[in-house]
Amino acid sequence: MSIRAALLDLDGTLVDSIPDLAQAANAMRIKLGLPQLHQELIAQFVGKGIDNLVRRAMTGGNDEAEVTAEAFIVAREHFVDAYHQVNGDRATVFEGVIEGLKSMKGAGLGLAVVTNKPTVFTEQLLIQTGLRSFFDAVVSGDTCPTRKPDAGPVLHACFLLQAAPADCVFIGDSINDAQAAQAAGMPVLIVPYGYNEGNSVQNLKVNDIVETIVEAAQWIERHNASADQPDLLT
C-alpha cells in the first residue's frame, strides 16, 4: 500500500530546541532558588510534554523526589513565562530537514506535525524556524485529550489529512513516537540524533532508523515504488 502522508515529531526530529528549553528550565530554577543544570541533563527530560519537563527540571531528574501540587504550579508558571521569551531564539533546524520536507511535498505527500508541545509554543517555533508553510496540519500537546504515546493525536492528524493510518508513516526520534504510531497502526521511522530521554534508539522496534529526514523521504519513495510494482504471481 502506498504512503500518502507523513506525520513528523517536532522537537528532536525537525528542530533542536534544547538550547531554548534549557534556558527556560534554568530560568525557572533560578526563580525557585535552585542552581542551574547542565543543558545535556535537561535534554533527557524532553519528549513527554512541558509538565514532565518542569517536574523533572525541578528535581534534577530525581523521579523519587516529592513535588507538591502548589510548588509545581508555581514552577510551571515560571517555566512558561521564561519559555515564551526565548522559544525559537536559539533553536535550529536539523540538517536535511528542509530538503527532506521539500522532497515529500514534491512527491505529493500530505504533511503534519504531531508534538506534545502546547499549541502556543508549537506555532511560534514553526514560524520562527520557517517550517510552518510545509505542513497541512499541526497537532499539538493540547489539541487532543491525550498526548503521545497515546494514539489519539496521531489518529487526529490522519483525520485532518484525510488519510487512513495505514496510508501514513510517522517520523520521530523517541519511544513515545514509536509507541504512538504503532498504536495507531502505521509504520514508523526513527532518526538517531534526537532526544529519546537520553536512551539509544537502536533497540526500538521500528520499521527503520533513518539518519536524516532526507533519508526518510527516500525510504518513502522506495516503499511507494515497490508498492506500485505489479504482482507477477497474479
Short mmCIF file of all heavy atoms in Angstrom, two decimals, residues 70-129:
data_model
loop_
_atom_site.label_atom_id
_atom_site.label_comp_id
_atom_site.label_asym_id
_atom_site.label_seq_id
_atom_site.Cartn_x
_atom_site.Cartn_y
_atom_site.Cartn_z
N GLU A 70 1.22 22.58 44.72
CA GLU A 70 1.41 24.02 44.79
C GLU A 70 2.76 24.43 44.22
O GLU A 70 2.86 25.40 43.45
CB GLU A 70 1.28 24.51 46.24
CG GLU A 70 -0.11 24.35 46.84
CD GLU A 70 -0.39 22.92 47.31
OE1 GLU A 70 0.54 22.07 47.28
OE2 GLU A 70 -1.54 22.66 47.70
N ALA A 71 3.80 23.69 44.59
CA ALA A 71 5.14 24.01 44.09
C ALA A 71 5.23 23.81 42.58
O ALA A 71 5.87 24.60 41.87
CB ALA A 71 6.18 23.13 44.80
N PHE A 72 4.56 22.77 42.09
CA PHE A 72 4.58 22.51 40.66
C PHE A 72 3.91 23.63 39.88
O PHE A 72 4.41 24.07 38.85
CB PHE A 72 3.90 21.18 40.35
CG PHE A 72 3.74 20.92 38.88
CD1 PHE A 72 4.81 20.50 38.12
CD2 PHE A 72 2.52 21.14 38.25
CE1 PHE A 72 4.69 20.29 36.75
CE2 PHE A 72 2.38 20.93 36.89
CZ PHE A 72 3.45 20.50 36.14
N ILE A 73 2.76 24.10 40.38
CA ILE A 73 2.03 25.17 39.69
C ILE A 73 2.90 26.42 39.58
O ILE A 73 2.97 27.06 38.52
CB ILE A 73 0.71 25.48 40.43
CG1 ILE A 73 -0.27 24.32 40.26
CG2 ILE A 73 0.10 26.78 39.92
CD1 ILE A 73 -1.50 24.42 41.13
N VAL A 74 3.59 26.77 40.66
CA VAL A 74 4.46 27.95 40.65
C VAL A 74 5.61 27.76 39.66
O VAL A 74 5.92 28.65 38.85
CB VAL A 74 5.01 28.23 42.06
CG1 VAL A 74 6.09 29.32 42.01
CG2 VAL A 74 3.89 28.65 43.00
N ALA A 75 6.24 26.59 39.73
CA ALA A 75 7.38 26.31 38.84
C ALA A 75 6.94 26.33 37.38
O ALA A 75 7.64 26.88 36.52
CB ALA A 75 7.98 24.96 39.19
N ARG A 76 5.78 25.74 37.08
CA ARG A 76 5.31 25.70 35.70
C ARG A 76 5.07 27.11 35.17
O ARG A 76 5.38 27.41 34.01
CB ARG A 76 4.03 24.87 35.60
CG ARG A 76 3.63 24.53 34.17
CD ARG A 76 2.32 23.75 34.14
NE ARG A 76 2.07 23.19 32.83
CZ ARG A 76 1.61 23.83 31.78
NH1 ARG A 76 1.36 25.14 31.88
NH2 ARG A 76 1.42 23.23 30.62
N GLU A 77 4.51 27.97 36.00
CA GLU A 77 4.29 29.36 35.58
C GLU A 77 5.61 30.05 35.27
O GLU A 77 5.71 30.80 34.28
CB GLU A 77 3.53 30.11 36.67
CG GLU A 77 2.07 29.70 36.79
CD GLU A 77 1.36 30.41 37.93
OE1 GLU A 77 2.05 31.10 38.72
OE2 GLU A 77 0.12 30.28 38.03
N HIS A 78 6.61 29.82 36.11
CA HIS A 78 7.94 30.40 35.86
C HIS A 78 8.51 29.89 34.53
O HIS A 78 9.07 30.67 33.74
CB HIS A 78 8.91 30.06 36.99
CG HIS A 78 8.64 30.77 38.27
ND1 HIS A 78 8.24 32.09 38.32
CD2 HIS A 78 8.74 30.36 39.57
CE1 HIS A 78 8.09 32.46 39.58
NE2 HIS A 78 8.39 31.43 40.36
N PHE A 79 8.36 28.57 34.29
CA PHE A 79 8.89 28.00 33.06
C PHE A 79 8.18 28.57 31.84
O PHE A 79 8.83 28.98 30.86
CB PHE A 79 8.76 26.47 33.06
CG PHE A 79 9.21 25.85 31.77
CD1 PHE A 79 10.55 25.55 31.55
CD2 PHE A 79 8.31 25.60 30.73
CE1 PHE A 79 10.98 25.01 30.35
CE2 PHE A 79 8.72 25.06 29.53
CZ PHE A 79 10.07 24.77 29.34
N VAL A 80 6.88 28.60 31.88
CA VAL A 80 6.09 29.09 30.73
C VAL A 80 6.44 30.54 30.43
O VAL A 80 6.62 30.92 29.26
CB VAL A 80 4.58 28.92 31.00
CG1 VAL A 80 3.76 29.70 29.98
CG2 VAL A 80 4.20 27.44 30.97
N ASP A 81 6.55 31.36 31.47
CA ASP A 81 6.92 32.77 31.26
C ASP A 81 8.29 32.89 30.58
O ASP A 81 8.46 33.68 29.65
CB ASP A 81 6.95 33.51 32.61
CG ASP A 81 5.56 33.76 33.16
OD1 ASP A 81 4.58 33.62 32.41
OD2 ASP A 81 5.45 34.07 34.37
N ALA A 82 9.23 32.09 31.06
CA ALA A 82 10.58 32.15 30.50
C ALA A 82 10.62 31.62 29.07
O ALA A 82 11.29 32.19 28.20
CB ALA A 82 11.55 31.36 31.39
N TYR A 83 9.88 30.53 28.83
CA TYR A 83 9.93 29.92 27.50
C TYR A 83 9.25 30.80 26.46
O TYR A 83 9.68 30.84 25.30
CB TYR A 83 9.30 28.52 27.54
CG TYR A 83 9.59 27.69 26.32
CD1 TYR A 83 10.87 27.66 25.76
CD2 TYR A 83 8.60 26.92 25.71
CE1 TYR A 83 11.14 26.89 24.64
CE2 TYR A 83 8.86 26.16 24.59
CZ TYR A 83 10.14 26.15 24.05
OH TYR A 83 10.41 25.40 22.92
N HIS A 84 8.21 31.51 26.85
CA HIS A 84 7.58 32.45 25.93
C HIS A 84 8.61 33.47 25.41
O HIS A 84 8.55 33.89 24.25
CB HIS A 84 6.45 33.22 26.64
CG HIS A 84 5.11 32.59 26.50
ND1 HIS A 84 4.50 32.39 25.27
CD2 HIS A 84 4.24 32.11 27.43
CE1 HIS A 84 3.33 31.81 25.45
NE2 HIS A 84 3.14 31.63 26.74
N GLN A 85 9.54 33.84 26.25
CA GLN A 85 10.51 34.87 25.89
C GLN A 85 11.62 34.35 24.99
O GLN A 85 12.20 35.12 24.22
CB GLN A 85 11.12 35.46 27.16
CG GLN A 85 10.12 36.19 28.06
CD GLN A 85 10.75 36.69 29.35
OE1 GLN A 85 11.87 37.20 29.35
NE2 GLN A 85 10.04 36.54 30.46
N VAL A 86 11.95 33.05 25.07
CA VAL A 86 13.12 32.54 24.35
C VAL A 86 12.78 31.51 23.27
O VAL A 86 13.67 31.12 22.50
CB VAL A 86 14.15 31.93 25.33
CG1 VAL A 86 14.58 32.96 26.36
CG2 VAL A 86 13.57 30.69 26.04
N ASN A 87 11.54 31.04 23.20
CA ASN A 87 11.18 29.99 22.25
C ASN A 87 11.54 30.37 20.82
O ASN A 87 11.04 31.35 20.27
CB ASN A 87 9.67 29.71 22.35
CG ASN A 87 9.22 28.59 21.42
OD1 ASN A 87 10.00 27.74 21.03
ND2 ASN A 87 7.93 28.59 21.09
N GLY A 88 12.41 29.58 20.22
CA GLY A 88 12.84 29.81 18.85
C GLY A 88 14.07 30.67 18.69
O GLY A 88 14.64 30.76 17.59
N ASP A 89 14.54 31.30 19.78
CA ASP A 89 15.68 32.21 19.67
C ASP A 89 16.96 31.49 19.24
O ASP A 89 17.70 31.97 18.39
CB ASP A 89 15.92 32.93 21.00
CG ASP A 89 14.92 34.03 21.26
OD1 ASP A 89 14.08 34.29 20.37
OD2 ASP A 89 14.97 34.64 22.35
N ARG A 90 17.23 30.35 19.87
CA ARG A 90 18.46 29.61 19.56
C ARG A 90 18.18 28.23 18.97
O ARG A 90 19.12 27.46 18.72
CB ARG A 90 19.32 29.48 20.81
CG ARG A 90 19.87 30.81 21.32
CD ARG A 90 20.92 30.59 22.40
NE ARG A 90 20.32 29.99 23.61
CZ ARG A 90 21.02 29.35 24.54
NH1 ARG A 90 22.32 29.18 24.40
NH2 ARG A 90 20.41 28.86 25.61
N ALA A 91 16.92 27.92 18.73
CA ALA A 91 16.57 26.64 18.12
C ALA A 91 17.06 26.61 16.67
O ALA A 91 17.03 27.63 15.97
CB ALA A 91 15.06 26.44 18.16
N THR A 92 17.49 25.45 16.24
CA THR A 92 18.00 25.30 14.86
C THR A 92 17.33 24.10 14.19
O THR A 92 17.02 23.11 14.84
CB THR A 92 19.52 25.10 14.85
OG1 THR A 92 19.87 23.98 15.67
CG2 THR A 92 20.24 26.34 15.36
N VAL A 93 17.13 24.23 12.90
CA VAL A 93 16.56 23.14 12.11
C VAL A 93 17.67 22.14 11.82
O VAL A 93 18.76 22.51 11.39
CB VAL A 93 15.95 23.68 10.81
CG1 VAL A 93 15.43 22.54 9.94
CG2 VAL A 93 14.84 24.67 11.11
N PHE A 94 17.40 20.87 12.07
CA PHE A 94 18.41 19.84 11.84
C PHE A 94 18.76 19.74 10.36
O PHE A 94 17.92 20.00 9.48
CB PHE A 94 17.92 18.48 12.33
CG PHE A 94 17.91 18.32 13.82
CD1 PHE A 94 16.71 18.19 14.50
CD2 PHE A 94 19.08 18.30 14.55
CE1 PHE A 94 16.68 18.03 15.88
CE2 PHE A 94 19.07 18.14 15.93
CZ PHE A 94 17.87 18.02 16.60
N GLU A 95 19.99 19.34 10.10
CA GLU A 95 20.47 19.16 8.72
C GLU A 95 19.60 18.13 8.00
O GLU A 95 19.29 17.07 8.53
CB GLU A 95 21.93 18.70 8.73
CG GLU A 95 22.54 18.56 7.35
CD GLU A 95 24.01 18.17 7.40
OE1 GLU A 95 24.60 18.17 8.49
OE2 GLU A 95 24.56 17.84 6.32
N GLY A 96 19.20 18.45 6.78
CA GLY A 96 18.42 17.53 5.97
C GLY A 96 16.92 17.71 6.08
O GLY A 96 16.17 17.13 5.29
N VAL A 97 16.47 18.50 7.06
CA VAL A 97 15.03 18.65 7.28
C VAL A 97 14.38 19.39 6.10
O VAL A 97 13.38 18.92 5.55
CB VAL A 97 14.75 19.38 8.60
CG1 VAL A 97 13.29 19.85 8.66
CG2 VAL A 97 15.06 18.47 9.77
N ILE A 98 14.91 20.55 5.73
CA ILE A 98 14.32 21.35 4.65
C ILE A 98 14.29 20.55 3.35
O ILE A 98 13.26 20.47 2.67
CB ILE A 98 15.08 22.67 4.45
CG1 ILE A 98 15.05 23.53 5.72
CG2 ILE A 98 14.52 23.42 3.26
CD1 ILE A 98 13.67 24.03 6.07
N GLU A 99 15.42 19.92 3.03
CA GLU A 99 15.49 19.15 1.79
C GLU A 99 14.51 17.98 1.81
O GLU A 99 13.84 17.68 0.80
CB GLU A 99 16.92 18.64 1.57
CG GLU A 99 17.95 19.74 1.39
CD GLU A 99 18.54 20.24 2.71
OE1 GLU A 99 17.90 20.01 3.77
OE2 GLU A 99 19.62 20.84 2.68
N GLY A 100 14.42 17.31 2.96
CA GLY A 100 13.53 16.17 3.08
C GLY A 100 12.07 16.56 2.96
O GLY A 100 11.28 15.89 2.28
N LEU A 101 11.69 17.66 3.60
CA LEU A 101 10.31 18.13 3.53
C LEU A 101 9.95 18.57 2.11
O LEU A 101 8.85 18.30 1.62
CB LEU A 101 10.08 19.28 4.51
CG LEU A 101 10.17 18.92 6.00
CD1 LEU A 101 10.00 20.17 6.85
CD2 LEU A 101 9.14 17.87 6.38
N LYS A 102 10.89 19.24 1.45
CA LYS A 102 10.65 19.64 0.06
C LYS A 102 10.44 18.42 -0.83
O LYS A 102 9.57 18.42 -1.71
CB LYS A 102 11.83 20.47 -0.46
CG LYS A 102 11.89 21.89 0.07
CD LYS A 102 13.07 22.65 -0.52
CE LYS A 102 13.09 24.10 -0.06
NZ LYS A 102 14.26 24.84 -0.60
N SER A 103 11.23 17.38 -0.60
CA SER A 103 11.10 16.16 -1.39
C SER A 103 9.74 15.51 -1.16
O SER A 103 9.08 15.06 -2.12
CB SER A 103 12.22 15.18 -1.03
OG SER A 103 12.09 13.98 -1.75
N MET A 104 9.30 15.47 0.09
CA MET A 104 7.99 14.88 0.39
C MET A 104 6.85 15.68 -0.22
O MET A 104 5.92 15.11 -0.79
CB MET A 104 7.81 14.78 1.91
CG MET A 104 8.73 13.78 2.59
SD MET A 104 8.45 13.73 4.39
CE MET A 104 9.99 13.01 4.95
N LYS A 105 6.94 16.99 -0.11
CA LYS A 105 5.92 17.84 -0.72
C LYS A 105 5.90 17.66 -2.23
O LYS A 105 4.83 17.60 -2.86
CB LYS A 105 6.15 19.31 -0.38
CG LYS A 105 5.95 19.66 1.08
CD LYS A 105 4.51 19.53 1.53
CE LYS A 105 3.68 20.72 1.11
NZ LYS A 105 2.31 20.65 1.72
N GLY A 106 7.09 17.58 -2.81
CA GLY A 106 7.19 17.39 -4.26
C GLY A 106 6.61 16.07 -4.72
O GLY A 106 6.15 15.94 -5.86
N ALA A 107 6.61 15.08 -3.83
CA ALA A 107 6.04 13.77 -4.15
C ALA A 107 4.54 13.73 -3.91
O ALA A 107 3.90 12.69 -4.12
CB ALA A 107 6.72 12.69 -3.33
N GLY A 108 3.98 14.86 -3.45
CA GLY A 108 2.54 14.94 -3.26
C GLY A 108 2.04 14.42 -1.92
O GLY A 108 0.84 14.18 -1.76
N LEU A 109 2.94 14.23 -0.96
CA LEU A 109 2.53 13.73 0.35
C LEU A 109 1.89 14.84 1.18
O LEU A 109 2.31 16.00 1.14
CB LEU A 109 3.74 13.20 1.13
CG LEU A 109 4.50 12.01 0.53
CD1 LEU A 109 5.65 11.63 1.46
CD2 LEU A 109 3.58 10.83 0.31
N GLY A 110 0.86 14.48 1.93
CA GLY A 110 0.35 15.37 2.95
C GLY A 110 1.29 15.35 4.14
O GLY A 110 1.85 14.29 4.46
N LEU A 111 1.49 16.47 4.80
CA LEU A 111 2.43 16.54 5.92
C LEU A 111 1.75 17.12 7.16
O LEU A 111 1.00 18.09 7.07
CB LEU A 111 3.64 17.40 5.56
CG LEU A 111 4.55 16.92 4.43
CD1 LEU A 111 5.69 17.91 4.22
CD2 LEU A 111 5.09 15.52 4.72
N ALA A 112 2.06 16.53 8.31
CA ALA A 112 1.54 17.03 9.57
C ALA A 112 2.61 16.95 10.64
O ALA A 112 3.46 16.04 10.62
CB ALA A 112 0.31 16.24 10.01
N VAL A 113 2.58 17.88 11.57
CA VAL A 113 3.39 17.82 12.78
C VAL A 113 2.51 17.25 13.89
O VAL A 113 1.36 17.64 14.05
CB VAL A 113 3.89 19.22 13.19
CG1 VAL A 113 4.43 19.20 14.62
CG2 VAL A 113 4.98 19.69 12.25
N VAL A 114 3.07 16.30 14.65
CA VAL A 114 2.38 15.78 15.83
C VAL A 114 3.37 15.87 16.99
O VAL A 114 4.36 15.15 17.02
CB VAL A 114 1.90 14.33 15.64
CG1 VAL A 114 1.14 13.86 16.88
CG2 VAL A 114 1.03 14.20 14.40
N THR A 115 3.10 16.76 17.92
CA THR A 115 4.04 17.05 19.01
C THR A 115 3.31 17.12 20.34
O THR A 115 2.10 17.38 20.38
CB THR A 115 4.77 18.38 18.74
OG1 THR A 115 5.61 18.71 19.86
CG2 THR A 115 3.78 19.53 18.52
N ASN A 116 4.06 16.92 21.42
CA ASN A 116 3.49 17.08 22.77
C ASN A 116 3.64 18.51 23.27
O ASN A 116 3.18 18.83 24.37
CB ASN A 116 4.17 16.12 23.74
CG ASN A 116 3.65 14.70 23.60
OD1 ASN A 116 2.60 14.46 23.01
ND2 ASN A 116 4.38 13.74 24.15
N LYS A 117 4.25 19.37 22.48
CA LYS A 117 4.42 20.77 22.85
C LYS A 117 3.07 21.50 22.72
O LYS A 117 2.35 21.29 21.76
CB LYS A 117 5.46 21.42 21.93
CG LYS A 117 5.87 22.85 22.30
CD LYS A 117 6.75 23.45 21.23
CE LYS A 117 8.11 22.81 21.15
NZ LYS A 117 8.95 23.12 22.32
N PRO A 118 2.70 22.37 23.69
CA PRO A 118 1.45 23.12 23.59
C PRO A 118 1.37 23.97 22.32
O PRO A 118 2.39 24.41 21.79
CB PRO A 118 1.45 24.00 24.84
CG PRO A 118 2.33 23.29 25.81
CD PRO A 118 3.40 22.63 24.97
N THR A 119 0.15 24.20 21.85
CA THR A 119 -0.08 24.91 20.59
C THR A 119 0.65 26.24 20.51
O THR A 119 1.29 26.55 19.50
CB THR A 119 -1.58 25.15 20.39
OG1 THR A 119 -2.25 23.89 20.33
CG2 THR A 119 -1.84 25.91 19.09
N VAL A 120 0.57 27.04 21.55
CA VAL A 120 1.16 28.38 21.51
C VAL A 120 2.66 28.32 21.24
O VAL A 120 3.21 29.15 20.50
CB VAL A 120 0.86 29.15 22.82
CG1 VAL A 120 1.48 28.46 24.03
CG2 VAL A 120 1.35 30.59 22.72
N PHE A 121 3.34 27.32 21.80
CA PHE A 121 4.77 27.19 21.58
C PHE A 121 5.08 26.50 20.25
O PHE A 121 6.07 26.81 19.59
CB PHE A 121 5.42 26.41 22.73
CG PHE A 121 5.32 27.09 24.06
CD1 PHE A 121 4.83 26.43 25.16
CD2 PHE A 121 5.74 28.41 24.22
CE1 PHE A 121 4.74 27.06 26.39
CE2 PHE A 121 5.66 29.05 25.44
CZ PHE A 121 5.15 28.37 26.53
N THR A 122 4.22 25.56 19.86
CA THR A 122 4.42 24.86 18.58
C THR A 122 4.36 25.83 17.41
O THR A 122 5.26 25.85 16.56
CB THR A 122 3.34 23.77 18.40
OG1 THR A 122 3.43 22.83 19.47
CG2 THR A 122 3.52 23.06 17.07
N GLU A 123 3.30 26.62 17.35
CA GLU A 123 3.14 27.55 16.25
C GLU A 123 4.27 28.57 16.22
O GLU A 123 4.81 28.90 15.16
CB GLU A 123 1.78 28.25 16.35
CG GLU A 123 0.59 27.34 16.09
CD GLU A 123 0.48 26.91 14.62
OE1 GLU A 123 1.13 27.51 13.76
OE2 GLU A 123 -0.28 25.96 14.36
N GLN A 124 4.64 29.07 17.39
CA GLN A 124 5.72 30.06 17.48
C GLN A 124 7.03 29.48 16.95
O GLN A 124 7.75 30.12 16.17
CB GLN A 124 5.90 30.51 18.93
CG GLN A 124 7.00 31.57 19.12
CD GLN A 124 7.16 31.95 20.59
OE1 GLN A 124 6.40 31.52 21.46
NE2 GLN A 124 8.17 32.76 20.89
N LEU A 125 7.32 28.24 17.34
CA LEU A 125 8.58 27.61 16.93
C LEU A 125 8.57 27.30 15.43
O LEU A 125 9.58 27.53 14.74
CB LEU A 125 8.80 26.33 17.73
CG LEU A 125 10.12 25.59 17.50
CD1 LEU A 125 11.31 26.50 17.77
CD2 LEU A 125 10.20 24.34 18.37
N LEU A 126 7.45 26.81 14.90
CA LEU A 126 7.39 26.51 13.47
C LEU A 126 7.55 27.78 12.63
O LEU A 126 8.22 27.76 11.59
CB LEU A 126 6.06 25.83 13.14
CG LEU A 126 5.91 24.38 13.60
CD1 LEU A 126 4.48 23.90 13.40
CD2 LEU A 126 6.88 23.46 12.86
N ILE A 127 6.96 28.87 13.09
CA ILE A 127 7.08 30.13 12.36
C ILE A 127 8.50 30.68 12.46
O ILE A 127 9.09 31.09 11.45
CB ILE A 127 6.05 31.15 12.90
CG1 ILE A 127 4.63 30.71 12.53
CG2 ILE A 127 6.33 32.54 12.34
CD1 ILE A 127 3.54 31.49 13.23
N GLN A 128 9.06 30.64 13.67
CA GLN A 128 10.43 31.17 13.89
C GLN A 128 11.46 30.44 13.04
O GLN A 128 12.43 31.03 12.57
CB GLN A 128 10.81 31.04 15.36
CG GLN A 128 10.08 32.00 16.30
CD GLN A 128 10.89 33.25 16.61
OE1 GLN A 128 10.49 34.34 16.22
NE2 GLN A 128 11.99 33.11 17.30
N THR A 129 11.26 29.13 12.87
CA THR A 129 12.23 28.33 12.13
C THR A 129 11.92 28.23 10.64
O THR A 129 12.66 27.59 9.89
CB THR A 129 12.31 26.91 12.72
OG1 THR A 129 10.98 26.34 12.77
CG2 THR A 129 12.89 26.94 14.13
#
